[in-house]
Amino acid sequence: MRTETPPTVRLEDYRPSDHLIDRVDLDVRLDPHDTRVTARLAIRPNPAGRPGAALVLDGDDLRLVALDLDGAQLAPAAFRVAPSALTLPEPPQRPFTLTVETRLDPTANTKLMGLYRSNGVYCTQCEADGFRRITYFLDRPDVLAVYTTRIEAEEAQAPVLLGNGNNIESGRIEGTERHFSIWHDPHPKPAYLFALVGGRLDRVSAPFTTMEGRAVELAVYVEPGKAERAAYALDAVARSMTWDEQVFGRPYDLDVFNVVAVSDFNMGAMENKGLNIFNDKFVLASPETATDADYAAIEAIIAHEYFHNWSGNRVTCRDWFQLCLKEGLTVFRDQEFSSDMRSRDVHRIGEVRTLRARQFPEDAGPLAHPVRPKQYAEINNFYTATVYEKGAEIVRMLRTLIGETAFRAGMDRYFSDNDGTAATVEDFLRAFEAESGHDLLHFAEWYERPGTPRVAVSGHYDDAARTYRLDFRQTRPGAGADAPPVVIPVRLGLIGPDGPLDGATSPQVEAKGEECVFVLDAAEASVTYENVPAPPVPSLFRGFSAPVRVDMSVEDADRLTLLRHDTDGFNRWEAAQRVAARLMNGALRGEDTAAGADAFAAALGAFLDERALADPAFAALVLALPSESDLADEIGSEIDPDAIFTARRALRVRLGAALSPRLHAVRDALAEPAGTPFSPDAASAGRRALRNAALDWIAVADPAEGAALAGAQIASATNMTDRLAGLSTLALLPGEPRESALAAFAALYADEPLVLDKWLAIQAMIPEDGTVERVRRLQGHPAFAMTNPNRVRSLVGSFALANPTQFNRADGAGFALVAETVLALDRTNPQVAARLMTAFGSWRRLEPQRRTAADAALRRILATPGLSRDVADIAGRSLGDSLTA
């Protein structure tokens, strides 16, 4: 484990590699404890590098067995070797071949980086710097090589052998019980995209023909006995390929596309060229074991990893500072895919909820960083919501600014100009400048500065002139007074008492139907509408057109006008969110909010009467109040999670009681007839979502009735979505029925680890004083294993990230529990331990007692001897003590 203090890596210090590797021939002889890797590297000096520079190959915990240069063994004086590096002080100043043999123990690799074993299956994870745990290499994304990989193993132990690219030869090794398979990838790639898999796996497959006429064999590999659960993932692969051809003109470029599901994986999935390796929770699905949310996640993540074939693989990033170039862009692409597969409004609301829940707090805390960071100490800690989700929002804003036609042309230009290269943000924007004619230098500020801009808006109606003026003012908290403004596209419209005011126009902006796009690129600006017959309600930032916080004084009655009449689905939902947030914040300030709550209940009732059965998925989202974390983020300082919980629960009880007759009617209307087959399609999932939301509201208003309904639903459910919804509702109602239901669920799914992950998470999120001890007990349950990232995330991650009252307990017990888990896990899997640490990201905004307890937990972690670089970096930045803070 790397425990040394790492050097700070800075973007401004980037220089090309002194050497390039054009071709890599790997021979990997798999063995559980004694794997041998022979790498033949075709190396040459880089004309853009430093003449005569030493060759320094990266390593991480490697053991060198042999080293040859052009077929001759190197003398000991000709090189220096350590587990972390192999150096040739005076390499040839010409092309040469270096042959490196290393020895690995995949079974002992608990970090799950490099080559390791998962349930007996050999697999790899090389992003960001895992390839250096396999062989000594120039492990950086701007060194691209063509790979040929020979994989050898005992056939009984690993009958399936997979690598990058196309399979060019396979066979048995005469006189042994071993066999081999050779894979060739003709497309140059960086080392982080290398992959291999070997093990006993079942397979499902299907043919696919690309727009260019290439025949491709699609296959999904899973643990034995689980093939029937891979059908949805296989279908998602085919739909992703078709969509990328139709929307972005991107065909696939190999003869096979393989997906492998493994049970031990630090991340969600990995886009290795032609061989995507997945956390099995994002592949395996059946009605009995997966929820509607699981199906949607499988669809989205399958698409995300496939879309990387162009945005990440064919065009990769020059250095890790450009990570947003592949991840933010690909998140945008997978969001568009999911929106086309499902409901665009519903999916957009989900995207924004994720952004606000994860990225907005990150931008406001000690771990804030630009979308393109300027420096880092541990790159694995920068796979963040800022890089992914905010990076996607920047791409979306770019499309809004230049229009869909120019955006598609710019994407085509970006791919064609940079195919087979390692690109930068500047390369990306240059393509859109060339196709649109826009100067994007000012827009590029979004990549360079942390923080979420605030936009203050005020409206002014002139009755005599029949005009309406909107004044905008943007600021960025924490930015200096001389910080330039950013370019903010504001999609907006005006709503009257009966709907959009189509006749209102503004000479400052071009109308597109009932809305226009106003570009706020100065600190202050205004837009004036003419022909406005009466004071309107502005529909601002339609579709959430920019990742900003909006401050505007709007009466609840006007927001409810938006809920009733706005044609923008996002802003209809947002109107309900803002009314609910104002009521809860008023309660926190001691205001009497009863009348407002009753008016809100009436508006929600009217909305349900109108929309519940027409668009149940959207109705379920409108009913969902802002979360406790949303409210905390809005309050911003001196946060008391218990007070927030109390205020939110009080509003839910009042609204639930008022809406109870409608909620019962909704449940009855959406009940599926007996024998209805399960379908994960968007319409069916939407009906289940609203019916289960109604159950939750009923239980809040009347716990006894809710417990009875939840128990009955658990007993009669024919799919995991409904069964888990019933259990989730019952888990919030203390008493014997809850404990009995939890025990019965665990017994029923004792052999289903992914289902038991849901069981662990439900209990970790119970907002009661006994949950800390419950989590401690569950850490000793047979269903939990500290060695499996899914188990850790389900139990401890859910507690830390989704249970604000108990993680942030005033006595510090929640912080202590997570700190203990982090320190225990850091010894075996620092990457997962560091990600748990991000739960402390908002600790400085807590009230003093909790703030003191969180500070003590962080300092305890940071003071621990032998701490990994991963955890030390997060703890240090959280405290403001890090070199990269």
Side-chain angles (χ1 to χ4, degrees):
M1 182 172 69
R2 295 179 296 179
T3 60
E4 74 280 3
T5 301
T8 299
V9 182
R10 295 181 173 83
L11 173 59
E12 65 184 11
D13 295 334
Y14 170 83
R15 58 179 175 81
S17 174
D18 294 319
H19 294 85
L20 298 176
I21 301 177
D22 294 320
R23 190 179 69 255
V24 178
D25 293 300
L26 286 173
D27 186 350
V28 183
R29 289 153 287 167
L30 294 172
D31 181 90
H33 298 285
D34 189 18
T35 290
R36 300 298 180 100
V37 178
T38 301
R40 295 180 68 250
L41 311 178
I43 303 175
R44 61 184 169 90
N46 185 355
R50 298 172 299 172
L55 173 66
V56 182
L57 301 180
D58 300 302
D60 183 0
D61 200 25
L62 287 178
R63 288 174 287 176
L64 181 67
V65 175
L67 182 64
D68 292 352
L69 194 153
D70 289 337
Q73 183 176 343
L74 274 176
F79 66 93
R80 297 191 300 270
V81 66
S84 60
L86 171 63
T87 303
L88 273 63
E90 298 179 357
Q93 299 304 298
R94 55 169 175 77
F96 61 95
T97 299
L98 189 69
T99 303
V100 183
E101 184 179 352
T102 52
R103 178 181 177 183
L104 314 176
D105 184 347
T107 303
N109 184 1
T110 62
K111 293 174 70 172
L112 311 186
M113 287 289 289
L115 174 66
Y116 65 96
R117 297 183 83 203
S118 171
N119 272 5
V121 175
Y122 297 94
C123 60
T124 56
Q125 171 55 33
C126 292
E127 188 176 357
D129 53 8
F131 192 70
R132 67 186 63 186
R133 293 177 59 79
I134 296 173
T135 189
Y136 291 102
F137 202 76
L138 294 173
D139 196 0
R140 46 187 289 169
D142 60 349
V143 173
L144 281 66
V146 172
Y147 284 69
T148 301
T149 306
R150 179 185 180 276
I151 311 166
E152 175 190 316
E154 284 190 16
E155 189 168 11
Q157 182 186 84
V160 174
L161 299 174
L162 302 172
N164 299 106
N166 299 318
N167 183 222
I168 59 175
E169 186 181 353
S170 296
R172 292 178 175 171
I173 301 173
E174 189 174 349
T176 75
E177 297 180 349
R178 297 175 72 82
H179 69 137
F180 72 93
S181 187
I182 300 176
W183 295 78
H184 176 69
D185 181 3
H187 301 282
K189 65 173 177 285
Y192 80 84
L193 291 172
F194 170 80
L196 68 78
V197 169
R200 301 188 64 83
L201 297 164
D202 285 352
R203 176 180 185 265
V204 296
S205 64
F208 183 88
T209 302
T210 71
M211 60 191 289
E212 297 176 331
R214 178 191 289 269
V216 181
E217 183 75 6
L218 312 181
V220 178
Y221 293 83
V222 298
E223 292 179 356
K226 297 181 178 179
E228 76 282 356
R229 301 188 193 182
Y232 192 77
L234 181 65
D235 179 65
V237 172
R239 286 186 287 120
S240 301
M241 287 179 146
T242 299
W243 184 90
D244 210 19
E245 291 183 342
Q246 294 172 345
V247 177
F248 284 98
R250 298 296 108 193
Y252 188 58
D253 51 9
L254 291 169
D255 299 335
V256 295
F257 182 79
N258 292 321
V259 171
V260 179
V262 298
S263 57
D264 298 282
F265 204 70
N266 282 345
M267 296 186 281
M270 181 60 209
E271 69 268 20
N272 318 296
K273 183 71 178 180
L275 178 57
N276 287 189
I277 300 179
F278 272 66
N279 185 322
D280 60 359
K281 71 175 291 185
F282 297 119
V283 169
L284 301 176
S286 69
E288 297 77 20
T289 60
T291 64
D292 290 325
D294 292 328
Y295 278 97
I298 289 168
E299 180 179 78
I301 295 173
I302 286 281
H304 180 94
E305 304 308 327
Y306 173 72
F307 296 154
H308 267 310
N309 187 60
W310 277 93
S311 49
N313 297 3
R314 288 284 289 264
V315 181
T316 192
C317 49
R318 185 195 72 178
D319 51 67
W320 292 120
F321 297 103
Q322 321 295 328
L323 183 60
C324 62
L325 187 59
K326 75 180 187 75
E327 294 301 347
L329 175 57
T330 305
V331 168
F332 168 78
R333 278 156 46 75
D334 82 54
Q335 289 174 346
E336 287 297 289
F337 167 79
S338 292
S339 294
D340 285 346
M341 295 296 108
R342 296 174 178 264
S343 161
R344 184 162 288 272
D345 284 343
V346 168
H347 199 270
R348 183 61 180 148
I349 290 165
E351 293 160 10
V352 176
R353 291 178 73 182
T354 299
L355 183 82
R356 287 175 170 171
R358 297 178 59 220
Q359 198 280 320
F360 275 23
E362 185 172 272
D363 242 352
L367 301 180
H369 61 85
V371 173
R372 178 166 65 177
K374 291 180 170 57
Q375 58 188 31
Y376 63 80
E378 175 53 65
I379 186 55
N380 287 314
N381 290 337
F382 280 85
Y383 286 74
T384 63
T386 296
V387 167
Y388 281 67
E389 277 75 28
K390 189 174 181 179
E393 294 301 315
I394 294 175
V395 177
R396 190 176 303 278
M397 286 191 292
L398 176 61
R399 185 180 65 175
T400 300
L401 283 170
I402 68 175
E404 292 192 11
T405 300
F407 179 80
R408 168 58 195 274
M411 288 296 302
D412 289 346
R413 179 73 171 263
Y414 170 65
F415 288 132
S416 63
D417 286 357
N418 298 283
D419 190 10
T421 71
T424 65
V425 167
E426 287 75 17
D427 295 322
F428 179 68
L429 294 178
R430 192 176 300 119
F432 294 95
E433 288 180 328
E435 294 296 330
S436 70
H438 282 68
D439 182 347
L440 297 175
L441 181 63
H442 189 184
F443 178 77
E445 284 289 322
W446 277 102
Y447 287 101
E448 307 304 329
R449 299 180 184 278
T452 303
R454 299 196 80 101
V455 179
V457 187
S458 58
H460 310 275
Y461 181 71
D462 187 324
D463 186 60
R466 290 164 57 89
T467 61
Y468 183 70
R469 188 183 81 245
L470 284 167
D471 297 331
F472 295 85
R473 180 173 178 269
Q474 64 163 297
T475 57
R476 192 185 305 117
D482 59 345
V486 291
V487 177
I488 301 175
V490 185
R491 286 177 51 201
L492 58 88
L494 300 182
I495 308 299
D498 299 313
L501 298 178
D502 294 332
T505 61
S506 172
Q508 299 168 259
V509 292
E510 179 183 352
K512 298 179 180 179
E514 65 190 42
E515 74 174 30
C516 66
V517 177
F518 172 66
V519 180
L520 176 63
D521 56 5
E524 297 183 8
S526 300
V527 59
T528 300
Y529 282 87
E530 301 171 348
N531 304 316
V532 184
V537 182
S539 176
L540 301 170
F541 293 92
R542 305 185 104 202
F544 196 71
S545 60
V548 301
R549 300 178 189 266
V550 181
D551 299 321
M552 186 176 187
S553 179
V554 180
E555 295 295 326
D556 283 359
D558 288 337
R559 294 198 187 278
L560 296 178
T561 294
L562 296 178
L563 175 62
R564 287 192 297 271
H565 298 301
D566 202 337
T567 54
D568 182 74
F570 174 81
N571 273 1
R572 293 189 77 183
W573 170 80
E574 178 77 338
Q577 293 286 292
R578 292 301 90 213
V579 173
R582 190 200 65 75
L583 291 170
M584 290 184 281
N585 279 319
L588 286 167
R589 292 190 296 267
E591 299 171 5
D592 183 358
T593 60
D598 291 342
F600 186 39
L604 289 177
F607 170 81
L608 286 174
D609 292 342
E610 176 194 357
R611 300 296 300 169
L613 301 185
D615 193 351
F618 181 69
L621 289 173
V622 170
L623 283 179
L625 299 186
S627 70
E628 295 161 53
S629 296
D630 290 335
L631 288 173
D633 186 54
E634 191 170 305
I635 293 167
S637 63
E638 304 302 314
I639 294 167
D640 181 346
D642 290 338
I644 291 173
F645 174 84
T646 300
R648 186 174 184 272
R649 182 173 180 81
L651 180 61
R652 294 191 74 215
V653 169
R654 192 176 189 96
L655 294 177
L659 295 171
S660 183
R662 287 184 172 92
L663 296 169
H664 281 83
V666 163
R667 274 182 57 78
D668 292 341
L670 294 176
E672 292 185 333
T676 301
F678 175 87
S679 172
D681 68 275
S684 300
R687 290 190 293 271
R688 285 187 288 270
L690 181 55
R691 192 167 189 269
N692 289 323
L695 171 63
D696 191 54
W697 278 99
I698 291 168
V700 168
D702 187 340
E705 182 184 17
L709 289 173
Q713 179 163 310
I714 294 169
S716 64
T718 59
N719 59 77
M720 181 53 67
T721 299
D722 289 339
R723 180 168 286 114
L724 196 71
L727 187 65
S728 298
T729 294
L730 195 56
L732 298 177
L733 305 174
E736 192 279 331
R738 172 176 75 186
E739 303 308 323
S740 294
L742 287 168
F745 189 92
L748 182 62
Y749 295 103
D751 297 324
E752 297 286 352
L754 294 177
V755 177
L756 289 178
D757 283 345
K758 307 176 195 303
W759 177 77
L760 292 170
I762 283 174
Q763 296 180 80
M765 293 186 290
I766 295 173
E768 297 173 10
D769 288 345
T771 297
V772 168
E773 289 309 313
R774 182 187 290 266
V775 171
R776 290 188 184 279
R777 289 197 303 273
L778 289 170
Q779 285 181 319
H781 192 279
F784 181 79
M786 192 74 86
T787 56
N788 184 280
N790 284 349
R791 309 297 92 84
V792 174
R793 283 187 287 258
S794 295
L795 182 61
V796 186
S798 295
F799 173 80
L801 295 168
N803 194 339
T805 62
Q806 299 312 299
F807 173 62
N808 297 294
R809 274 176 48 158
D811 64 2
F815 302 136
L817 169 62
V818 174
E820 290 167 16
T821 305
V822 165
L823 290 174
L825 188 59
D826 190 45
R827 293 191 289 268
T828 56
N829 194 327
Q831 199 173 109
V832 174
R835 290 191 175 132
L836 281 181
M837 287 285 298
T838 61
F840 287 92
S842 297
W843 74 275
R844 290 188 184 278
R845 299 196 290 169
L846 296 168
E847 53 79 27
Q849 183 178 353
R850 289 175 170 84
R851 196 160 63 235
T852 299
D855 179 85
L858 286 166
R859 294 194 182 280
R860 173 192 170 193
I861 292 170
L862 194 59
T864 301
L867 202 62
S868 72
R869 286 168 38 171
D870 308 64
V871 169
D873 174 53
I874 295 290
R877 285 195 286 139
S878 297
L879 289 165
D881 295 343
S882 172
L883 292 173
T884 60

